[in-house]
Structures are given as structure tokens and as C-alpha cells.
Amino acid sequence: MRPYSFLIAFVLILSVSACTEIINQVPPSALTETTFFKTANDAEAAVTASYDAIQGDDPRWIVWGDARCDNLEVPVDIIGITDPTVLEFTQDNISTSSTYATWNKFFVSINRVNNILAKVPAIQDPSINAVRDRILGEAYFLRAFNYFFLTRLWGAVPLVLEPTISLNVDLKVSRVPAEVVLDQIVADLKEAESKLPVSYSANLDTRGRATKGAAQALLARVYLWKSSYNKTNEWQSVVDYTTKVIASPVYSLAPGASYASIFTAKNTAESIWELQYNYNNQELNTLVRLFIPRSTKVQTGGEQILIPSKKIENAFVNGDLRKAGAIFYSDSLSTYKNVRSVAKYQGTIVGASRFSDSNFIILRLADVILMKAEAQAQLGKVTEAIDLLNTIRKRAGLPNTTATTKEAVLIAIEEERFIELCFEGHRWYDLLRTGRVKAVLNTDKKALLPVHINDILINPNLLPQNPGY
């Protein structure tokens, strides 16, 4: 999937494009920002670089989405504190200099896709005609994805829609309201939906690149956020887009007995979009470090910075087929034995070594079904909501829900999302958008992250700081 020579060239172009006044003698064969976007291969390399920009950040996504909630905890009394910044995060004591307050990787990806959107339409290479729309669709999708993370985490953020290719331009942009950002996200995703393919010839690309189904699923998630957090009540849009995804023959739920395979087999039919990792290609993340038990066989152990909470362990009732695929217990070779451990990101063991190359699933069908269930309940279609909720429960080997009223069904869906999607980075956003942080966690927490102090020092236009910092 990765044309490395073109990828490296493209990244270097973005790094050195401001140096033309210093080095103005450019050999005819050299790549510059103005000469790079000439062929279809250039465009393919550019979109690959845009995916590459977000790879490796998924551990922070899980910390942001789960570590300040009730399904993960720092094992202070069992193992100790491995990473103080994670502990501070779980305690809602986030510093303005924390690595969890930086947004750089999102804006690197955004700048790369802005270059694509600005340059690819003008490429004259005839071979671009077969792929131009798809590449532009991927760019629109990735820009929306990055901005959706940004606005949920920081609220008002800079909305940059043109490429930054020179240090001569004004980089001291101000933040714009979250509502404006969300409108742009929706517009980008609708453009993406119109241009992206339903699938690719290779399954790895169907699950690892943006598709029409991925755009529809992300649109549903955005409308779910807007409807609950921003009170826009666009529940019918959630239903409309989830219905499109559920009807697609590209996606189907994994059998309950094979729930673990969603995470271990990679790119299953349940997956809509997942970040790709492969130790053979030296594409690794740090999820093993975050979750896997320390081992007396050092090569196969992690640092186990976070463990499943007792609450999530107890939430899996007897007979729930998902538990073994979500939680395991450290064995006799572990430094700390019989400790609750996250099972979804165990990497690949080869001989005496473990490689941290589990894919990270961003969108999958079970999430989409539960989004539709919530929207139907909000629209007063309780029977339809119950049927969708029971689809997920049946897959897990559980009886139908006992909830019957709208209010009870919404709580049952919240609980089902807690279990079904645990350790996938969703819990915080679910509680935040529904206004149930204090009711569930028994404490108030700051809704937004701080803007990093270094960013403010460079660009005072980012002020005012978010509340509480």
C-alpha cells in the first residue's frame, strides 16, 4: 500500500519548500513543491503520506477516549506508575505542556491533504483521470477525520483549508467556533462520499483506505455528536447514513464466537476503516507498551501503563462471548500475575519477540448499528431501537434487553456501547456528548483539552485558553 520512494519525496518537499530563496539553483531532475504534483504516481504518494501522518497516534486516541473514563485505569496499587502523564490525564489534571495536549500530528495530515486538494485537480498526466476523484475523496475524508478529532478535543480550533507551503505566509491563525468546524467537516464528508469507491480490488485497501462506507459511517458519527452535544437534533441524518452502511454488502458482523478475530485477524468484514500496521514492513505502534503485561521474557512484554477497570470486567455478564476478546489475565511468565489486561492489541509474536503491530479499528459495523439504535430511540422509534440493540446482544450470546421505554433503551444502548466498544476510544465522547459525565463517573471533568503552551507562545492568536487551564 505504501510507495516508499514517492512518500519520502513528498514529505521532504513539504519540509524544504521554504528554502528556494537560499538554494535557487535546482537541477532539472530535483523534486520541489512546484514540480512534484505532475503525475498520478505523485498524487498517490501524496495521499499515502496523508495517511502516514496519523499513524502511530492511536495510543493517544485511546487515552483521550477511554483513560479519563471508567473502563481503563492506571494500576497504581498493582504495578505502579509507569507514565505519570497518563496518570495525570486519568485524574483530569492535564498540564498545558502535556504531550496529550499537542495537536501537531493532526495539522501535519491536514496540510498534506490541503496540498492534494490544491494541486491534484491541475495534474495533466492522462493516467490521473482514472483515480483523480478517488484521491480527492480520500483527501476530503482525511481532512474531515482530523478536524473531527480536533474539535471534539479542543472545541474552537484553527480552520486551515489552504496548503501552507512557505514560511512567508501568515501562520498566526485564530481559532474558529466548533460549529463552523463541524459544518466544514460535514461538507468535506459529503464531497468524500460522492467521490470514493464502495471498495477496492484488495481487501486490505477496502478496510485500510477511505471508502464510501467509511465516509457514511463517519458522517453518522458526526451527526450523532452534533445532535447530542450541540443539540441540533439531526437524528434522522444519523439514521439515513447508518442505514446506508448497514445495507452495504461490504460489511457484516463477525460471529459472536469469533469476536476476538475482529482485532487479531485484521481487516475482517465487520471493519469499515482501520489503521494498518505490519511488522514485516516495520510499521509499528506503541499499543503493546500501553496494554501488554510486563514479562520475565522481556521481548514479549509491554509496560502495561493501563489496565481494564474492575467496572468493565464486571460489566461482562456470564456467557458474554465478547469478554475473552476484550480482557485476558497475565500468566505465570508475567512479572505481575493474574492482572486484568486489554486483549484487543496484543501484536504479533515471532519467536521470542512481540511486535506491536495490531491494527487500530476506527470504524466498524457494530458501532454503526448502535448509533442507529440511539438515533431511532431519540426519534421515538423505540421498537426499532430495541431490535437493533438486540442484534448486538444476540451476537454476544446474550438475551434480549429488558428495556422498554425510550429513557431505559437509551441507557441500555449506552451500556452496550461501553461493553462492545471498550478500549477503542469511544467512551469519553459518548458520555460527554450526552451530558452524562458526572452521572456516570460521579465527578465533573473538563470538557476540553488545553491548547499547548508552546503553540500559544508561538501564536498568541490561539488565546483565549480553554476553560479550566
Side-chain angles (χ1 to χ4, degrees):
M1 179 178 168
R2 298 179 177 277
Y4 286 102
S5 60
F6 287 102
L7 171 60
I8 293 170
F10 179 73
V11 173
L12 288 174
I13 286 166
L14 292 183
S15 301
V16 303
S17 59
C19 299
T20 54
E21 291 184 8
I22 300 173
I23 306 174
N24 53 25
Q25 299 296 318
V26 182
S29 62
L31 287 170
T32 68
E33 182 272 327
T34 56
T35 64
F36 179 74
F37 283 98
K38 296 298 183 183
T39 70
N41 282 341
D42 294 344
E44 294 282 11
V47 78
T48 298
S50 302
Y51 285 104
D52 187 74
I54 60 174
Q55 272 200 311
D57 211 22
D58 25 11
R60 289 204 310 165
W61 301 352
I62 297 175
V63 172
W64 283 330
D66 284 337
R68 50 182 158 174
C69 295
D70 49 354
N71 57 11
L72 285 172
E73 62 185 46
V74 176
V76 176
D77 297 328
I78 302 172
I79 296 173
I81 303 169
T82 302
D83 188 336
T85 60
V86 174
L87 180 63
E88 291 168 357
F89 200 91
T90 64
Q91 296 173 337
D92 198 37
N93 183 26
I94 307 164
S95 167
T96 58
S97 61
S98 170
T99 56
Y100 290 98
T102 60
W103 58 26
N104 298 18
K105 285 182 74 70
F106 295 117
F107 281 109
V108 168
S109 182
I110 288 167
N111 194 45
R112 292 180 185 179
V113 298
N114 283 342
N115 271 276
I116 293 168
L117 294 171
K119 300 294 184 179
V120 168
I123 292 178
Q124 298 299 311
D125 175 13
S127 61
I128 194 67
N129 294 329
V131 297
R132 193 193 316 265
D133 271 2
R134 186 260 300 164
I135 288 172
L136 292 173
E138 289 183 272
Y140 279 116
F141 175 86
L142 287 170
R143 187 165 71 182
F145 169 78
N146 281 291
Y147 268 116
F148 190 45
F149 249 120
L150 283 165
T151 196
R152 287 182 299 166
L153 290 167
W154 284 277
V157 295
L159 184 59
V160 183
L161 303 178
E162 300 294 332
T164 302
I165 57 176
S166 170
L167 295 180
N168 296 323
V169 302
D170 182 11
L171 299 179
K172 294 186 177 181
V173 294
S174 299
R175 298 157 73 189
V176 304
E179 293 78 10
V180 176
V181 179
L182 286 166
D183 287 344
Q184 184 64 50
I185 290 168
V186 169
D188 280 354
L189 286 174
K190 287 182 176 179
E191 279 290 333
E193 182 192 16
S194 71
K195 296 179 184 297
L196 288 169
V198 172
S199 62
Y200 297 83
S201 57
N203 183 58
L204 183 146
D205 288 337
T206 297
R207 315 296 167 182
R209 304 187 77 132
T211 59
K212 194 175 295 294
Q216 292 162 348
L218 189 52
L219 266 165
R221 187 178 287 173
V222 172
Y223 278 119
L224 190 77
W225 175 267
K226 291 181 68 186
S227 297
S228 47
Y229 189 74
N230 297 90
K231 309 301 182 187
T232 60
N233 295 316
E234 296 171 275
W235 300 109
Q236 188 58 51
S237 293
V238 180
V239 171
D240 293 343
Y241 282 105
T242 53
T243 298
K244 291 180 181 181
V245 178
I246 293 168
S248 172
V250 177
Y251 313 113
S252 59
L253 290 176
S258 303
Y259 179 82
S261 72
I262 299 169
F263 310 96
T264 59
K266 298 185 178 184
N267 302 312
T268 67
E270 181 160 334
S271 176
I272 299 170
W273 184 40
E274 56 190 77
L275 289 188
Q276 305 292 315
Y277 296 96
N278 188 323
Y279 78 94
N280 284 316
N281 297 336
Q282 299 181 20
E283 295 171 339
L284 304 173
N285 51 45
T286 57
L287 293 172
V288 161
R289 173 179 178 264
L290 197 64
F291 293 126
I292 297 302
R294 304 178 190 187
S295 176
T296 55
K297 297 174 68 176
V298 176
Q299 303 95 318
T300 59
E303 296 183 26
Q304 203 161 26
I305 297 168
L306 290 164
I307 66 171
S309 67
K310 194 69 178 176
K311 179 177 179 179
I312 188 65
E313 179 187 38
N314 292 337
F316 287 97
V317 299
N318 290 338
D320 194 322
L321 298 173
R322 298 169 294 191
K323 184 176 182 180
I327 298 174
F328 74 102
Y329 298 86
S330 53
D331 60 20
S332 60
L333 294 177
S334 300
T335 306
Y336 300 92
K337 299 170 181 57
N338 201 37
V339 175
R340 299 184 301 276
S341 307
V342 172
K344 292 184 176 181
Y345 311 105
Q346 298 188 53
T348 302
I349 295 178
V350 179
S353 298
R354 186 191 300 267
F355 295 92
S356 188
D357 69 343
S358 294
N359 283 2
F360 182 76
I361 298 175
I362 299 169
L363 297 163
R364 64 182 176 97
L365 186 58
D367 179 17
V368 172
I369 291 171
L370 290 171
M371 284 194 282
K372 184 176 181 180
E374 182 176 340
Q376 293 284 44
Q378 290 285 4
L379 290 169
K381 299 179 180 179
V382 176
T383 300
E384 291 89 338
I386 290 172
D387 288 343
L388 290 160
L389 173 58
N390 285 336
T391 298
I392 301 303
R393 292 181 61 82
K394 181 178 179 181
R395 192 266 290 269
L398 301 177
N400 288 343
T401 182
T402 58
T404 56
T405 66
K406 174 182 174 178
E407 292 72 19
V409 168
L410 286 170
I411 294 298
I413 292 168
E414 176 189 285
E415 181 69 8
E416 204 64 39
R417 290 181 64 84
F418 175 53
I419 300 167
E420 174 70 35
L421 304 172
C422 64
F423 322 133
E424 297 176 46
H426 297 285
R427 180 65 164 173
W428 170 254
Y429 305 110
D430 283 345
L431 297 180
L432 183 62
R433 66 180 174 79
T434 57
R436 285 183 42 79
V437 170
K438 186 172 184 179
V440 174
L441 304 182
N442 298 315
T443 184
D444 278 324
K445 293 198 172 189
K446 294 184 281 291
L448 300 174
L449 297 180
V451 178
H452 198 280
I453 185 61
N454 289 346
D455 292 315
I456 290 175
L457 291 174
I458 294 169
N459 179 13
N461 289 338
L462 297 174
L463 292 170
Q465 179 61 276
N466 281 333
Y469 301 100

